[in-house]
Amino acid sequence: MNFVQELKWRGMIQDIMPGTEEQLQKEMTSAYLGIDPTADSLHIGHLVGVMMLRHFQRAGHKPYALIGGATGMIGDPSGKSKERVLIDEDRLRHNQECIRKQLSKFLDFDSDAPNHAELVNNYDWMKDFTFLDFIRNIGKLITVNYMMSKDSVKRRFTGENGADGMSFTEFSYQLLQGYDYLYLNTERNCKLQLGGADQWGNITTGCEMIRKVTGAEAFAITCPLITKADGKKFGKTEQGNVWLDRRYTSPYKFYQFWVNVSDDDAARYIRIFTSLTQDEILALEAEQKADPACRALQKRLAREITVMVHSEEDYNQAVAASQLLFGKVDPAELRKIDEETLLQVFEAVPAYTYSKASFGEGVKAVDLVTDMVPAADNVQPLFGSKGEMRKLVQGGGVSVNKEKLNAFDQLLTPSDLIQGKYIILQKGKKNYALVTVA
């Protein structure tokens, strides 16, 4: 597999240093990509770079994931208008371990293959570097004029987009990232750095350092910054970032993000965020074109990435949960859905409560519907009267937990409670209610 050609057809190359493709064809090459460790989970904005590393390893090369423990203490000014909050070493180490677990789903860290992935942290080689040693040995390699010419620096100095200037701390970031490349080049034989398009200035600074210190040639590839088809920032929802950790974004909401992207975005994202072959993707595109309503691209994209980040079981549960509102679902599958996912699916439907004491060993469906209490002032009764409910039941228009009621006075027992406390009522095709028995 030709790594550069693989990235090209996937739309994952923005800039590439001359000679990079020739270097990769010549020998197994080591490359690294830096990851910000300021949170204990990656979000989907990180996935473009992670997928670059994944394709790199699949092409037979050796990937290094660099956790920016030292640079994370400084803060990269690229794309920022304000300085970030700095974090301490204990938090960095915790975040590093969490990130490694997530990366292990994409990269092979544990085999004895010569191109197994490795995780490194630049704090390990920067922590004992004195300020005097750094400015004497590293600072002299790059001129201020060179550093000032970088777009990320110029924007901050000119106050573009509301930028509030730049401290010396952030100004030094470019030297720190450049030194990372120099260190990994001399100590780990890394000859290629990967990153987002906004990192090109920092990456080329590293190439310049390597040239000056060793005389060797160093290489670089950046990928485009991903946006949505409407030009808005990728990976954000009204609730914030879409995280890989289920503590912050549940597998259900993760799946929902991908399955609901636009057709144009799905066609781009399935190339970037999956390992499907070009032929497989072209076949899916043809299927989508023939029947846009089937959303073949979105469904396959959501499946591939949900299984990769979470698991097959989580994917199946997310699909089953999605069917609760929009399709048929096996009642047995309904009972496998965890409480958090169930509440997320029904967070926008009318909610009611019913006394557990009144429920007892069983209650007639009509009594439950009559006596359940709206959970909010703006929630209206699901049925106008017992007579209305009776007629709808006779016409097959009322379901409990996705099963048709046979009679309006059918007995509901504790075995009907999902997770021991919930009942899903459905009136007609689209009107739902969630009853909490407590």
Side-chain angles (χ1 to χ4, degrees), residues 20-180:
T20 301
E21 187 169 9
E22 291 77 7
Q23 165 61 33
L24 295 175
Q25 290 176 324
K26 183 172 65 175
E27 61 185 356
M28 185 183 80
T29 302
S30 295
Y32 86 94
L33 177 129
I35 296 172
D36 179 7
T38 50
D40 63 357
S41 173
L42 302 175
H43 54 73
I44 60 175
H46 292 107
L47 282 183
V48 185
V50 173
M51 290 304 296
M52 289 179 81
L53 287 180
R54 180 177 173 87
H55 294 313
F56 191 70
Q57 188 173 43
R58 289 176 59 234
H61 301 291
K62 183 176 178 66
Y64 283 87
L66 182 146
I67 301 298
T71 41
M73 288 183 166
I74 302 300
D76 182 1
S78 301
K80 307 290 191 303
S81 59
K82 299 183 183 297
E83 295 204 24
R84 69 177 65 192
V85 177
L86 309 183
I87 57 178
D88 59 33
E89 183 180 355
D90 288 343
R91 173 56 58 179
L92 284 167
R93 294 299 185 189
H94 166 76
N95 293 354
Q96 174 183 328
E97 185 55 34
C98 293
I99 290 170
R100 188 192 188 284
K101 289 179 181 177
Q102 291 180 334
L103 289 174
S104 66
K105 296 183 178 181
F106 298 83
L107 303 171
D108 169 21
F109 284 97
D110 300 320
S111 78
D112 56 3
N115 69 325
H116 69 273
E118 293 189 43
L119 190 79
V120 293
N121 188 331
N122 60 13
Y123 184 76
D124 293 330
W125 58 80
M126 289 299 304
K127 63 182 178 181
D128 297 323
F129 222 142
T130 68
F131 178 71
L132 288 177
D133 284 341
F134 188 79
I135 59 173
R136 175 183 173 87
N137 298 319
I138 306 305
K140 68 179 181 180
L141 297 175
I142 303 296
T143 67
V144 171
N145 288 349
Y146 181 91
M147 297 173 69
M148 291 284 289
S149 69
K150 304 298 184 181
D151 287 341
S152 60
V153 175
K154 284 195 292 187
R155 280 195 293 269
R156 289 288 289 273
F157 271 90
T158 58
E160 186 178 325
N161 296 325
D164 57 359
M166 179 184 289
S167 67
F168 176 78
T169 300
E170 278 196 322
F171 186 60
S172 66
Y173 184 93
Q174 191 179 149
L175 293 178
L176 292 174
Q177 184 169 331
Y179 180 69
D180 286 342

Side-chain angles (χ1 to χ4, degrees), residues 116-413:
H116 69 273
E118 293 189 43
L119 190 79
V120 293
N121 188 331
N122 60 13
Y123 184 76
D124 293 330
W125 58 80
M126 289 299 304
K127 63 182 178 181
D128 297 323
F129 222 142
T130 68
F131 178 71
L132 288 177
D133 284 341
F134 188 79
I135 59 173
R136 175 183 173 87
N137 298 319
I138 306 305
K140 68 179 181 180
L141 297 175
I142 303 296
T143 67
V144 171
N145 288 349
Y146 181 91
M147 297 173 69
M148 291 284 289
S149 69
K150 304 298 184 181
D151 287 341
S152 60
V153 175
K154 284 195 292 187
R155 280 195 293 269
R156 289 288 289 273
F157 271 90
T158 58
E160 186 178 325
N161 296 325
D164 57 359
M166 179 184 289
S167 67
F168 176 78
T169 300
E170 278 196 322
F171 186 60
S172 66
Y173 184 93
Q174 191 179 149
L175 293 178
L176 292 174
Q177 184 169 331
Y179 180 69
D180 286 342
Y181 198 177
L182 174 61
Y183 179 89
L184 289 173
N185 177 264
T186 55
E187 298 296 323
R188 303 293 185 104
N189 197 32
C190 272
K191 296 181 179 180
L192 173 63
Q193 185 178 169
L194 307 171
D198 60 339
Q199 294 296 308
W200 184 252
N202 293 331
I203 293 173
T204 53
T205 297
C207 294
E208 180 68 5
M209 283 187 182
I210 292 168
R211 184 188 66 80
K212 286 189 174 182
V213 172
T214 71
E217 197 174 8
F219 304 95
I221 297 177
T222 62
C223 59
L225 298 180
I226 306 302
T227 58
K228 296 192 288 186
D230 60 9
K232 294 181 180 178
K233 189 170 183 179
F234 164 75
K236 292 276 189 178
T237 67
E238 291 182 1
Q239 291 77 38
N241 285 321
V242 179
W243 299 92
L244 273 58
D245 192 313
R246 66 176 61 231
R247 293 175 300 164
Y248 308 131
T249 301
S250 70
Y252 168 72
K253 287 198 169 182
F254 186 85
Y255 167 83
Q256 284 292 315
F257 173 85
W258 297 104
V259 83
N260 286 313
V261 300
S262 70
D263 289 355
D264 288 341
D265 285 335
R268 286 191 304 135
Y269 295 168
I270 201 164
R271 285 167 160 74
I272 295 168
F273 298 110
T274 78
S275 297
L276 295 176
T277 67
Q278 191 168 12
D279 287 344
E280 288 173 315
I281 292 173
L282 290 174
L284 286 166
E285 288 176 337
E287 185 180 345
Q288 182 100 335
K289 186 176 181 180
D291 183 8
C294 78
R295 298 173 65 80
L297 285 171
Q298 285 92 337
K299 290 177 181 177
R300 186 63 181 275
L301 168 67
R303 173 186 171 82
E304 291 292 320
I305 199 161
T306 303
V307 170
M308 187 160 49
V309 170
H310 293 291
S311 69
E312 185 88 31
E313 181 182 358
D314 286 319
Y315 162 75
N316 290 332
Q317 195 170 107
V319 172
S322 299
Q323 295 300 311
L324 288 180
L325 289 176
F326 308 117
K328 295 180 179 179
V329 62
D330 183 343
E333 290 297 318
L334 176 61
R335 298 185 177 280
K336 297 179 183 178
I337 295 171
D338 62 87
E339 183 176 12
E340 180 187 20
T341 301
L342 184 76
L343 293 176
Q344 288 174 351
V345 172
F346 290 99
E347 62 185 356
V349 307
Y352 302 84
T353 61
Y354 190 83
S355 166
K356 192 169 186 177
S358 298
F359 194 93
E361 294 303 312
V363 64
K364 293 178 181 179
V366 65
D367 293 333
L368 174 79
V369 169
T370 302
D371 298 334
M372 63 189 189
V373 179
D377 293 338
N378 61 345
V379 175
Q380 301 298 315
L382 187 61
F383 297 95
S385 65
K386 291 184 179 181
E388 179 194 355
M389 180 186 172
R390 183 198 298 266
K391 288 181 181 179
L392 282 169
V393 171
Q394 289 173 344
V398 180
S399 297
V400 171
N401 299 340
K402 303 298 285 188
E403 292 187 281
K404 299 288 186 183
L405 271 183
N406 296 318
F408 84 109
D409 59 353
Q410 181 175 322
L411 189 67
L412 304 178
T413 68

